């Protein structure tokens, strides 16, 4: 598997945000790079932004004068498409429109050598469809960078129906040589990242729509209990609701309105209002100078409990036992097959299994209070709790006191099925399982993509391995029962791992 040589000319079409970033990646790897844009002003702006970046790096001492001179000398602004004729690889990053992309690439294809590779940076169009519009579809592939391209490591190497394996291999090796983290995937809607990430936004939006908690509380749970870099609402505000809503809608439509990807009316309302997030000064949160950021709903201090009994096996939440001992609490353990309860001063508390606490009581289960999944029970700073309407009086306060004694900030949410982290992780892993089942990407590449493309603290399938596929599948089945919706159906591969007990990853988790 050979990477392109640094002697090979790379051509980039489109000098916007993505094109100018991709140019820098190729320049940094030692290539000469021809940059073309249909709008001369856009080309000039792109070249100026690349210059400015390199000047900043020089001023900060990140590169020396010789490197600066060398890189800028290898940037070749192109006045016409004919200037790209000698390129070994053309990367297109123009407007997201199939007809325009096919027409520009058709024009450039006629000028290129027959072994030249044509790559598209499209986020949402079919690489198969773009290839089919050209004369040499075997030479066409997706090379999907993330914004900002010079900084974000992930590159999805997308094979269309007719893309030759050698072309995909060359792009993979080239991306590695460019110090990127490449993953391979098939040309399906959203590729890996933009598809698997949908539930991160979708479940948060649904929780907010169902008034499970405020946006600030849900974000705090995702960050401080879930280990995500940003909460879903602050992230959507950053991305822009117009962009995020359009991606969701495009994936939803491309997958024939599968309810799993259903867009949220809450977000559409923001788009309709022009509340696009940071860039417009208002999204879920207000921005600007005097903006007051709403606070999450943190539970007030509750008394420290004295009597802790663990009944059965707490599974992924097992570290709570040691944490409680470290906090000076006395913890007794009783064996009980099939049970997983924490008794705190006589109050039964359980890790959510996708049922609400009220549902559990109605089912004859003693747990009237449920707690959420956490990225790391030992190290995390927060935990989410919910209590059933019919929980015994003071139960929530008793459970709160326990988690506070362990040094956690307790965030209380309404008694919704699957709480916040558990349902988000279950849905992310379910989506990832379908991606693997359908041959879109391997389990390793899927997790690698989510960790490197959107900064997830742990790959969704590695997380499912930690929680146990059987638990994830039970959560999904309970969500499906609670909502009566196809949205929460288990991926066949999740069900298979739940039954055979094997992990998704057999090697080191990502
Ligand atoms: P942009 O709007 O910043 O830049 C597009 C550039 O293409 C403009 O300079 C425009 O003058 C030029 N252009 C338009 N039509 C052209 C034509 N017929 N011939 C030559 N140049 C033409 O757009 P951006 O954000 O850089 O996106 C470009 C592509 O990258 C799109 O396909 C987009 O889906 C994809 N992408 C965007 C990401 C993002 O976060 N912005 C992330 C990953 C992919």
């Amino acid at each position: 598997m050979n990477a392109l040589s640094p002697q090979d000319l790379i051509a980039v079409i489109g000098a916007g945000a993505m094109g100018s970033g991709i140019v820098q990646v190729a320049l940094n790897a030692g290539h000469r790079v021809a940059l073309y844009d249909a709008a001369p002003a856009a080309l000039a702006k792109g070249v100026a932004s690349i210059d400015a970046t390199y000047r900043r790096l020089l001023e900060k001492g990140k590169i020396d004068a010789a490197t600066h001179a060398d890189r800028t000398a290898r940037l070749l602004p192109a006045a016409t498409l004919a200037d790209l004729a000698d390129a070994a690889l053309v990367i297109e990053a123009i407007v997201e429109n199939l007809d325009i992309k096919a027409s520009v690439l058709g024009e450039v294809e006629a000028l290129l050598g027959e072994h030249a590779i044509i790559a598209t940076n499209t986020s949402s169009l079919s690489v198969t469809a773009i290839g089919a519009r050209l004369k040499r579809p075997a030479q066409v592939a997706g090379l999907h960078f993330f914004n900002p391209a010079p900084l974000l490591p992930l590159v999805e190497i997308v094979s269309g129906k007719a893309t030759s394996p050698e072309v995909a291999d060359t792009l993979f090796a080239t991306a590695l040589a460019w110090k990127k983290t490449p993953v391979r995937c098939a040309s399906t809607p959203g590729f890996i990242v933009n598809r698997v990430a949908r539930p991160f936004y979708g479940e948060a939006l649904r929780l907010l729509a169902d008034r499970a908690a405020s946006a600030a509380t849900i974000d705090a749970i995702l960050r401080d209990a879930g280990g995500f870099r940003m909460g879903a609402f602050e992230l959507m505000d950053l991305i822009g609701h117009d962009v995020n809503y359009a991606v969701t809608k495009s994936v939803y439509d491309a997958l024939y309105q599968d309810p799993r990807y259903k867009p949220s009316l809450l977000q559409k309302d923001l788009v309709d209002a022009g509340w696009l997030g940071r860039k417009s000064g208002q999204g879920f949160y207000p921005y600007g100078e005097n903006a007051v950021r709403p606070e999450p709903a943190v539970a007030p201090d509750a008394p420290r409990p004295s009597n802790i009994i663990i009944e059965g096996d707490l599974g992924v939440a097992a570290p709570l036992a040691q944490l409680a001992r470290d906090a000076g609490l006395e913890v007794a353990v009783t064996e009980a097959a099939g049970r997983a309860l924490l008794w705190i001063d006589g109050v039964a508390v359980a890790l959510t299994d996708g049922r609400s606490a009220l549902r559990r009581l109605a089912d004859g289960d003693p747990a009237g209070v449920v707690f959420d999944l956490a990225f790391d029970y030992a190290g995390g700073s927060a935990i989410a709790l919910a209590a059933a309407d019919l929980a015994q009086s003071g139960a929530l306060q008793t459970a709160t006191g326990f988690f506070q004694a362990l040094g956690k900030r307790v965030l209380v949410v309404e008694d919704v099925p699957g709480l916040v982290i558990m349902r988000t992780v279950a849905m992310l892993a379910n989506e990832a399982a379908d991606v693997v089942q359908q041959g879109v990407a391997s389990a390793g590449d899927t997790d690698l993509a989510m960790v490197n493309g959107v900064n997830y603290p742990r790959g969704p399938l590695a997380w499912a391995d930690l929680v146990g596929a059987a638990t994830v599948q039970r959560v999904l089945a309970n969500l499906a029962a609670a909502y009566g919706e196809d949205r929460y159906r288990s991926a066949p591969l999740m069900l298979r791992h739940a039954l055979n007990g094997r992990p998704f990853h057999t090697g080191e988790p990502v």
Side-chain angles (χ1 to χ4, degrees):
M1 188 157 79
N2 284 331
L4 294 176
S5 143
Q7 309 309 317
D8 286 320
L9 175 70
I10 308 296
V12 175
I13 309 181
M18 291 309 293
S20 344
I22 296 166
V23 165
Q24 290 170 48
V25 174
L27 286 173
N28 299 353
H31 293 272
R32 286 170 301 126
V33 185
L35 175 59
Y36 172 80
D37 197 291
L43 178 61
K45 192 168 160 217
V47 170
S49 85
I50 298 165
D51 274 344
T53 305
Y54 284 148
R55 215 170 320 115
R56 260 199 315 278
L57 291 177
L58 177 66
E59 281 160 12
K60 284 192 191 157
K62 297 257 165 82
I63 56 174
D64 59 22
T67 306
H68 177 262
D70 174 49
R71 285 186 188 173
T72 44
R74 284 187 278 104
L75 171 57
L76 314 168
T80 67
L81 281 177
D83 296 335
L84 315 183
D86 294 333
L89 167 63
V90 173
I91 305 167
E92 161 284 305
I94 64 171
V95 56
E96 190 76 339
N97 174 303
L98 179 60
D99 286 334
I100 300 176
K101 283 192 194 286
S103 140
V104 172
L105 290 178
E107 218 180 306
V108 82
E109 184 184 38
L111 302 164
L112 293 169
E114 65 174 312
H115 297 298
I117 297 175
I118 295 180
T120 170
N121 185 47
T122 183
S123 293
S124 63
L125 300 173
S126 158
V127 172
T128 297
I130 294 174
R133 303 276 283 267
L134 301 183
K135 294 223 164 55
R136 295 191 290 272
Q139 296 298 109
V140 179
L143 196 58
H144 186 219
F145 287 84
F146 289 74
N147 192 14
L151 298 184
L152 291 185
L154 188 70
V155 181
E156 291 175 325
I157 314 285
V158 188
S159 286
K161 195 89 189 144
T163 305
S164 88
E166 293 75 26
V167 163
D169 283 350
T170 303
L171 289 176
F172 189 92
T174 302
L176 273 181
W178 291 2
K179 300 199 169 62
K180 291 292 176 188
T181 304
V183 291
R184 296 169 191 271
C185 63
S187 174
T188 53
F191 311 136
I192 304 173
V193 170
N194 279 336
R195 172 172 168 184
V196 177
R198 294 321 333 135
F200 185 69
Y201 312 110
E203 291 310 306
L205 285 162
R206 168 160 262 196
L207 286 165
L208 187 65
D210 287 351
R211 299 199 286 172
S214 68
T217 303
I218 295 169
D219 273 356
I221 294 169
L222 286 165
R223 265 192 331 260
D224 303 338
F228 289 94
R229 185 72 64 87
M230 292 178 85
F233 299 105
E234 54 193 0
L235 181 55
M236 286 184 273
D237 271 4
L238 179 67
I239 294 169
H241 292 288
D242 48 346
V243 173
N244 190 258
Y245 179 73
V247 176
T248 299
K249 204 159 173 320
S250 121
V251 171
Y252 176 63
D253 289 337
L255 291 165
Y256 303 112
Q257 280 99 40
D258 187 322
R260 257 192 207 164
Y261 314 100
K262 196 167 168 181
S264 163
L265 276 175
L266 274 190
Q267 195 174 28
K268 179 176 183 293
D269 208 35
L270 288 180
V271 175
D272 288 347
W275 291 21
L276 304 181
R278 266 178 204 231
K279 62 186 173 190
S280 74
Q282 174 75 51
F284 284 109
Y285 300 106
Y287 296 89
E289 251 168 56
N290 301 319
V292 179
R293 190 69 181 257
E295 292 293 328
V298 178
D301 287 350
R304 180 183 167 90
S306 52
N307 183 355
I308 314 297
I309 302 167
I310 294 174
E311 184 186 352
D313 180 358
L314 293 185
V316 70
L320 289 175
Q322 190 54 42
L323 210 57
R325 288 190 192 101
D326 293 348
L329 293 170
E330 247 179 67
V331 180
V333 178
T334 63
E335 302 282 324
R339 299 277 267 192
L341 291 173
L342 257 173
W343 290 92
I344 303 165
D345 288 347
V347 169
V349 178
L351 171 63
T352 176
D353 64 359
R355 284 177 299 168
S356 64
L358 185 59
R359 176 77 258 166
R360 293 180 87 114
L361 293 182
D363 289 346
D365 186 297
V369 178
V370 285
F371 63 93
D372 203 355
L373 181 62
F375 172 69
D376 169 12
Y377 282 104
S381 65
I383 189 94
L385 297 185
D389 294 337
L390 303 179
Q392 66 195 92
S393 142
L396 182 61
Q397 208 198 12
T398 302
T400 299
F402 170 74
F403 284 102
Q404 286 174 340
L406 270 47
K408 313 275 179 214
R409 206 156 59 119
V410 172
L411 297 149
V412 177
V413 301
E414 289 295 318
D415 183 22
V416 286
L419 300 183
V420 178
I421 307 301
M422 184 63 100
R423 76 149 70 187
T424 300
V425 167
M427 288 295 276
L428 290 171
N430 202 42
E431 200 55 49
D434 254 358
V435 160
V436 175
Q437 168 86 58
Q438 293 159 9
V440 174
S442 68
D445 274 2
T446 302
D447 271 4
L448 199 60
M450 303 316 290
V451 170
N452 285 280
V454 267
N455 257 319
Y456 284 1
R458 181 182 287 134
L461 294 172
W463 212 330
D465 283 348
L466 197 74
V467 174
T471 300
V472 172
Q473 199 275 323
R474 192 173 331 118
V475 168
L476 291 165
N478 284 328
L479 284 166
Y483 289 104
E485 282 178 55
D486 205 26
R487 171 184 176 109
Y488 296 104
R489 71 189 184 274
S490 293
L493 194 63
M494 187 58 76
L495 192 53
R496 185 168 166 187
H497 283 266
L499 293 172
N500 69 22
R502 293 187 193 140
F504 286 95
H505 296 289
T506 42
E508 278 293 294
V510 177

